[in-house]
Each structure stands twice: as structure tokens, then as C-alpha cells.
Amino acid sequence: MTITQLDQEQLDEIYAFAVDLGRKTGQLLLESVEKRIGGEASESVEKENAVDIVTQTDEDAEVFIKSAIQKKYPSHKFLGEETYAKGQSRDYLIDEQPTWCVDPLDGTVNFTHIFPMFCVSIAFIVNHKPVIGVIYAPFQDQLFSSCINRGAWLNEKRQLPLIRNPSIPPMPPNAPSKCIFSCEWGKDRRDIPDGNMHRKIESFVNMAAEVGGRDGKGGMVHGVRSLGSATLDLAYTAMGSFDIWWEGGCWEWDVAAGVAILLEAGGLVTTASPPADFDTAPIEDVRLGSRLYLAIRPAGPSKTETGRQTQERTVREVWRRVRQLEYTRPGA
Amino acid sequence: MTITQLDQEQLDEIYAFAVDLGRKTGQLLLESVEKRIGGEASESVEKENAVDIVTQTDEDAEVFIKSAIQKKYPSHKFLGEETYAKGQSRDYLIDEQPTWCVDPLDGTVNFTHIFPMFCVSIAFIVNHKPVIGVIYAPFQDQLFSSCINRGAWLNEKRQLPLIRNPSIPPMPPNAPSKCIFSCEWGKDRRDIPDGNMHRKIESFVNMAAEVGGRDGKGGMVHGVRSLGSATLDLAYTAMGSFDIWWEGGCWEWDVAAGVAILLEAGGLVTTASPPADFDTAPIEDVRLGSRLYLAIRPAGPSKTETGRQTQERTVREVWRRVRQLEYTRPGA
């Protein structure tokens, strides 16, 4: 079955189901927070290290989502963070079949600390392309959603990006200057010379430093933001709040819904990994399983460039300043 | 006039006025955002560099707040970011008089990009002590408020910190491990060897790196967060979402309301500057004009320590990992 075999009416129905599912799952997450505020203890289990906590809520929410999908669409495939983590392989499991790709709770660390930047993330993928995305952050009641050909929305009433009248602004002429740069410290904190953590930091500092600094790599971004949720980073990039998001190490469920929403809003997602010929290399759409992502917000035309040209110019300016990160797929 | 000459009834009245003023000012900020979303152009003027944008909204909001205060409390002093910035001196201007210390728009960069982490910040200070704090982030409708002896609150209904039943958790035994560490890249991006930017980054990396890394300074914090608003960093520390906030370069109006709320919630605020004898130095309350802040969330007792002891232990573990920052007061 390919996307051409799912007509818009079918997609619209799936979209409505996904939005409803996102809201209900968000409500579950919120009820769990309310229990902790009310004094009922919560269980947390350590996974790989202290940073990687999985809560009972996480698993409960995934069961809830999976059951609802299997009841409504028994022929669709399901890929969730918790089911995947318990399996043996981390091969790239998405194929052309209609597949739900779900993170029941993104921003787990935020959730355990009750910092509001946590959410449920639900994507529907056909032919490797995320065509529906739903992200719901219940503590601040922010629902981001999109369906192919239907636009991307905040709370089903504000179209994304927010600033679009009279036109979506182009990327700034000297981007990354004037841009908000979104990035995450992540879980790989090994203090290995030239390891991922140090390569990330070097990249962050290049983006942040004054123009002319860092041997010409200084990008003087307007601000550096770290929220602790790849999903919400992408949502705010679709909103136009963040101009650039650069990250390595994510899994499909961390980004699938965010990529759907960002693409439908007019954003660009390519690889975080700078090619040697960064000035001329083709800028290809990211492969969902690549684990290395560079996202640029939706952009309109300037007087001399198309919107896409301003985005591609920005991609190259980021590539010029960032390091290769090493995230392989275990078993791949 | 000292605080002993303002009785609780007077303070309660001032508190109600401040909350109302915060909500109304937040509404002004939101209306300005709505205008931009609606396509009406906004004016922005560069100050010191591209990072430091002041908008017309900022000035309008300050005039609104100042007028309301002067009408209601003509004998009180007023200190606002915009009025201060236009003056000649940056001497520390707060004395024992009842003083309103106001940032009409904190998170200006977020505001210009419509990233929701912007807010109005209103503090009332007597005898150098912030006794009332109001922070309102209108895009996500989050109001943080406190009055001395009345507790600290989210949206006037949830007491802070959020997790307090059956008791407020102590700081983790191996803090900063398991802590969310909040910090900001700030505006000083000069690429000077051992300058503020590089000292900050070195400190961030020490806090983040694995335990045993960084010559024993690795803190393996649970997460590193940067929101782009000192005021909201403090608000989320009062909420218990962030465990540690460390920052240099803020002015009084950036922190006064947040300090009021955090202290009333049971938090601790001392200097970001590590003393040479960090293991034994007395941990003193921060001086509001110091520009260097280390905040620890509210904490309850563990089996072997008082809440304050768990906070002080955490302060020393942060001091052990961070560098001195250099922020002087021009004219001081």
C-alpha cells in the first residue's frame, strides 16, 4: 500500500483520530503529574545511566496509544519507543507500509522534574514519509498538529509558522546571525577527547561566538536554547520561534511527528553531518533513521532569493561551523 | 520607612495590586504579539549588538507599569530596565526605601522570535529585600507570584514548589547528579581566551560531563537547560523544575521578582562566584546588585540532613565545578 492508495479523505480521518489520541494521551501524562503533586509516589527505573529514566507512565501511555491504534487500524504497523527499546535490534524498521511512530513521552527528564517541556508525539508514516504529526504538551496545553495538504497548526487554530502575514520572513541575510539556535546536550557525556560531547560543544561555541571569532567560524546567533525535548525543538522550529535546530542521536520516534509538522509548515530537514564540500553539496531531505538532523524554520522569499534559497544558504552556514557527530545504529 | 512599618495588610494590598498589574502588562505583551501575527509591522531597534534588541513594546509596557504604580503609590521608588538604561549611571540604586523593581519584558529575544518564554517581572523591595514578586508569561498563561508570609504560587492555585506532599524532596545525595542545571549563554560572546564566554562553557561542561571526567569535576547533571530568560529560570527553580541555576551578568530587574518567589518557596540564592575556600566558606544570601547568582531549588530534609544542609552541600558542589565570571558595574 502506498500513499497514493490513501486518499485525502482517509488521511483526514486518520488525522482527526491522531489529534484526539494525542489529547487523550496528554491527559494521561497530566494525571500522572497531578498524582505526584498530590503526594502519590511514582516509580522510576534507571536504564542506561542516571540521565535515562523511564517511568511507568511512559509505558502505560504507550500501551494506551498502541491499543487504540490496533483497535481502529489493525492493518497498520506500530513502532513505539518502549516496545522498540525492549526488542533486540535497532535496525531501521520503517518501510513503505502505513506505520505509526510514537513517543508516548518525550522529554522524560523534564517530566520527572515537572518542567513543562514534555509531550506525547504521534506520527503517521507512509512510504517513509511522515504525513501526519501530532505533538501535545499538556502542562502548557500546546497542541501542534499537521496533515499533508492541510497545513500545520497550533491548538488547531493558529497556522504555523505564526508570522506569515503578509508573508513568511526569509532567513536573515547573515544567518546564523539573528537566529535562535536550538540544540541539546543529550545523554552522551563521556569525557573523551574529540568525542561527541566535545564535538557538540565546539559546534555550539562556533555558532554562539562573535562574528570574526573562532577563526572566522563565529556565528553570533541571537540566542542558544536547550529545552530537553527534540520533539518540542522541532515544534518550535515549525512555529518559527527557533530558526535552526541541530542535533545528533535522536531515534525515529523522537523526530517523526516534529518532522511531519515542520515540513508541512514549510521547513527544511537535512543531515546534521557537514559534508566535506559543504558549500556545494546537494541538500537532501533527511532519512528518518539517520539519527543526525539539521532543521531550518519555514522561510519566505527575500528580494533576491526564494525562501528555499535562504534556507539552503543557512544550512551551508551551519555546516561550515559544526562538527561531524558519531551516532551509529547498534545492529545496523 | 522599614519593612516593620509596612504591616501584612498593607503588603497584601500591594501584592494584589502587583498581581493585577502583572496580568494586565502580560496582556499588553500578548496584544503586541497578536499584532505581529496579524501582519502589523513591529519596530525593533538595535542597542549594543544584534543580541540586544529593545522593542517599542518593552518601552510601552514600562510606561504602563510605572504610571500605574505612581498613581497608586506615589511615595514608592521605581526602578525599571528601560528608564535605568537611558540614565548615566549603573550604580546600585536600591536602598531601604520601598522600591518597585521592574522588567517590563524579560526574554526580549524570545519575544521578538515569538518563542513563548518571555514574561513581565515585577518586584517590590523593602530594606533591600524583595518581599513581593510577580512573573507572568502570557503566551502560556503562567503566573508565578509570592508575598512574604503568603507562600509562592503558580496561577494563584498551585503552591510552589509543586512537589511538597508529603514533603519537599531533599537535594539528591550526589548532586549535581540527578539535577536539572539551568544556565544561559548570555550576550557576552567575545572570543577572548579565558573570557566570560569560555569560562561559562568550561563551567557548563564540568557540570554536564560524566562523573570522573574533567579531572574529577564531572557533575553528570540530569539535563542542561537554557531558556533565554533569567526571570523564568528563577521561576522554574522556585517551581522545583530546575534544581540549580547559575548565571552572571544579570541586572536587578532581571532577578528581583524571581528571587522573591524563590525565597518564599524555600529556595536559596547566593553568589555564582566560587570562593577559594569553597568547601568551608560561609554561604551568604546574594546581594541583589551583585550580578552573579547561584540559585538552588526549595528542598526538604533527608534522613541525615536538614533541607538547608542539602542545599548548601549542592552550592559547594557547584562552586567546585564553576569558574569566576567577571561582570562589574559600569560606574561602580
Side-chain angles (χ1 to χ4, degrees):
Chain A
M1 184 182 290
T2 68
I3 181 158
T4 55
Q5 294 173 266
L6 283 173
D7 63 24
Q8 189 73 45
E9 196 178 333
Q10 288 172 301
L11 285 172
D12 287 348
E13 185 201 272
I14 296 169
Y15 182 34
F17 168 78
V19 166
D20 183 61
L21 190 57
R23 284 198 186 279
K24 283 176 177 156
T25 311
Q27 199 53 41
L28 283 185
L29 301 183
L30 206 53
E31 282 165 16
S32 167
V33 166
E34 295 291 355
K35 277 185 191 168
R36 282 159 64 211
I37 291 176
E40 297 175 47
S42 90
E43 194 179 339
S44 70
V45 183
E46 289 200 17
K47 273 200 289 193
E48 284 166 14
N49 64 27
V51 173
D52 201 349
I53 282 181
V54 61
T55 62
Q56 191 60 44
T57 306
D58 207 346
E59 297 190 17
D60 291 349
E62 180 155 325
V63 168
F64 173 77
I65 296 171
K66 190 174 181 178
S67 306
I69 290 172
Q70 287 179 334
K71 188 173 171 193
K72 177 90 175 176
Y73 299 108
S75 71
H76 291 179
K77 291 178 66 177
F78 179 87
L79 180 59
E81 180 181 17
E82 295 310 319
T83 28
Y84 203 40
K86 287 175 179 165
Q88 291 305 309
S89 163
R90 291 213 168 185
D91 282 355
Y92 179 62
L93 293 177
I94 292 175
D95 56 23
E96 71 284 354
Q97 298 297 313
T99 302
W100 294 82
C101 185
V102 170
D103 191 350
L105 172 53
D106 189 77
T108 316
V109 170
N110 292 338
F111 180 77
T112 59
H113 291 254
I114 318 188
F115 175 55
M117 290 287 173
F118 59 86
C119 62
V120 51
S121 171
I122 299 173
F124 182 64
I125 302 172
V126 187
N127 266 336
H128 301 278
K129 187 174 165 60
V131 292
I132 288 169
V134 173
I135 296 170
Y136 184 48
F139 198 93
Q140 51 211 24
D141 194 24
Q142 288 178 344
L143 178 91
F144 305 86
S145 67
S146 74
C147 177
I148 196 159
N149 300 322
R150 296 302 190 204
W153 301 85
L154 172 62
N155 290 342
E156 299 181 87
K157 65 180 183 198
R158 292 180 188 275
Q159 192 166 6
L160 304 182
L162 291 180
I163 297 191
R164 53 189 306 108
N165 284 314
S167 63
I168 300 172
M171 296 298 291
N174 300 311
S177 170
K178 311 240 176 186
C179 290
I180 290 191
F181 175 58
S182 165
C183 57
E184 300 293 346
W185 289 68
K187 295 172 185 172
D188 183 353
R189 311 283 184 73
R190 289 172 297 173
D191 186 23
I192 299 169
D194 208 40
N196 274 328
M197 182 179 73
H198 290 288
R199 290 182 185 199
K200 272 192 167 183
I201 300 311
E202 184 184 333
S203 306
F204 298 173
V205 174
N206 286 346
M207 294 292 285
E210 61 184 335
V211 173
R214 306 284 289 177
D215 294 325
K217 289 193 173 176
M220 192 61 190
V221 296
H222 212 172
V224 179
R225 303 288 178 266
S226 299
L227 304 182
S229 162
T231 304
L232 287 169
D233 289 338
L234 278 163
Y236 288 119
T237 307
M239 198 156 123
S241 309
F242 295 162
D243 300 279
I244 300 164
W245 177 65
W246 179 79
E247 173 64 320
C250 305
W251 297 100
E252 288 84 325
W253 46 84
D254 294 319
V255 298
V259 167
I261 295 167
L262 179 59
L263 291 179
E264 181 64 18
L268 180 160
V269 193
T270 188
T271 179
S273 232
D277 53 338
F278 58 80
D279 261 338
T280 53
I283 292 171
E284 292 172 356
D285 288 347
V286 81
R287 185 166 164 272
L288 203 53
S290 75
R291 305 198 66 196
L292 296 161
Y293 305 93
L294 169 59
I296 309 290
R297 69 155 166 85
S302 68
K303 284 181 183 166
T304 56
E305 298 165 293
T306 66
R308 175 78 187 191
Q309 284 172 329
T310 74
Q311 291 172 321
E312 294 205 350
R313 169 169 53 73
T314 307
V315 166
R316 298 189 195 285
E317 291 296 328
V318 176
W319 278 348
R320 196 160 80 77
R321 290 170 170 86
V322 296
R323 295 287 309 275
Q324 296 266 358
L325 300 177
E326 296 195 350
Y327 290 98
T328 54
R329 300 186 72 86
Chain B
M1 184 183 291
T2 69
I3 182 157
T4 53
Q5 293 171 268
L6 283 173
D7 62 26
Q8 189 73 45
E9 194 178 334
Q10 287 172 304
L11 284 172
D12 288 347
E13 185 200 272
I14 295 169
Y15 182 34
F17 169 78
V19 167
D20 183 61
L21 190 58
R23 285 199 187 276
K24 284 178 177 156
T25 310
Q27 199 52 43
L28 281 185
L29 301 183
L30 206 53
E31 282 165 16
S32 165
V33 167
E34 296 291 356
K35 278 186 190 168
R36 282 159 63 210
I37 292 176
E40 297 174 48
S42 89
E43 195 180 336
S44 70
V45 182
E46 289 201 18
K47 273 200 288 193
E48 283 166 15
N49 64 28
V51 173
D52 201 347
I53 283 182
V54 62
T55 61
Q56 190 61 45
T57 306
D58 206 347
E59 297 190 19
D60 291 349
E62 179 154 327
V63 167
F64 173 76
I65 296 171
K66 189 174 182 179
S67 305
I69 291 172
Q70 287 180 333
K71 189 173 169 191
K72 177 90 174 176
Y73 299 109
S75 70
H76 292 179
K77 289 177 68 178
F78 179 88
L79 180 58
E81 180 182 16
E82 295 310 319
T83 29
Y84 203 39
K86 287 175 180 164
Q88 292 304 309
S89 164
R90 292 211 167 186
D91 282 355
Y92 180 62
L93 293 177
I94 292 174
D95 56 24
E96 71 283 353
Q97 298 297 312
T99 302
W100 293 82
C101 184
V102 169
D103 191 350
L105 172 54
D106 189 77
T108 316
V109 170
N110 293 338
F111 180 77
T112 59
H113 291 254
I114 317 189
F115 175 55
M117 290 288 172
F118 60 85
C119 62
V120 52
S121 171
I122 299 173
F124 182 64
I125 301 172
V126 187
N127 265 336
H128 301 277
K129 186 174 167 60
V131 293
I132 289 170
V134 173
I135 295 170
Y136 184 48
F139 198 93
Q140 52 210 24
D141 194 24
Q142 289 179 344
L143 178 91
F144 304 86
S145 66
S146 74
C147 177
I148 196 159
N149 300 323
R150 296 301 190 206
W153 300 85
L154 172 62
N155 290 341
E156 299 179 87
K157 65 180 185 203
R158 291 181 188 276
Q159 192 166 5
L160 305 182
L162 290 179
I163 298 191
R164 52 188 305 110
N165 284 314
S167 62
I168 301 172
M171 295 298 290
N174 299 311
S177 171
K178 311 240 175 185
C179 290
I180 290 192
F181 174 58
S182 164
C183 57
E184 301 293 346
W185 289 68
K187 296 172 186 171
D188 184 352
R189 311 282 185 74
R190 289 172 298 171
D191 185 25
I192 299 169
D194 207 39
N196 273 329
M197 183 179 72
H198 290 287
R199 291 182 184 199
K200 272 192 167 182
I201 301 311
E202 184 184 333
S203 305
F204 298 173
V205 175
N206 285 346
M207 294 293 284
E210 62 186 332
V211 172
R214 307 284 290 174
D215 294 324
K217 290 194 173 176
M220 193 61 188
V221 296
H222 212 172
V224 179
R225 302 289 178 265
S226 299
L227 305 182
S229 162
T231 303
L232 287 169
D233 289 337
L234 278 164
Y236 289 119
T237 308
M239 197 157 123
S241 309
F242 294 160
D243 300 279
I244 300 165
W245 177 66
W246 179 78
E247 173 64 321
C250 304
W251 296 100
E252 288 85 322
W253 46 85
D254 295 318
V255 298
V259 167
I261 294 168
L262 179 60
L263 292 178
E264 182 64 19
L268 179 160
V269 192
T270 187
T271 179
S273 232
D277 53 339
F278 58 80
D279 260 339
T280 51
I283 293 172
E284 291 173 357
D285 289 346
V286 79
R287 185 166 164 269
L288 202 53
S290 76
R291 305 200 64 198
L292 297 160
Y293 305 94
L294 169 59
I296 309 291
R297 70 156 167 84
S302 69
K303 284 180 184 166
T304 55
E305 297 165 293
T306 66
R308 174 79 187 191
Q309 283 171 330
T310 74
Q311 291 171 322
E312 294 205 349
R313 168 169 53 73
T314 307
V315 165
R316 297 189 195 286
E317 290 296 329
V318 176
W319 279 347
R320 196 160 81 77
R321 290 169 170 87
V322 296
R323 295 288 309 276
Q324 295 267 357
L325 300 177
E326 296 195 350
Y327 291 98
T328 53
R329 301 187 72 86

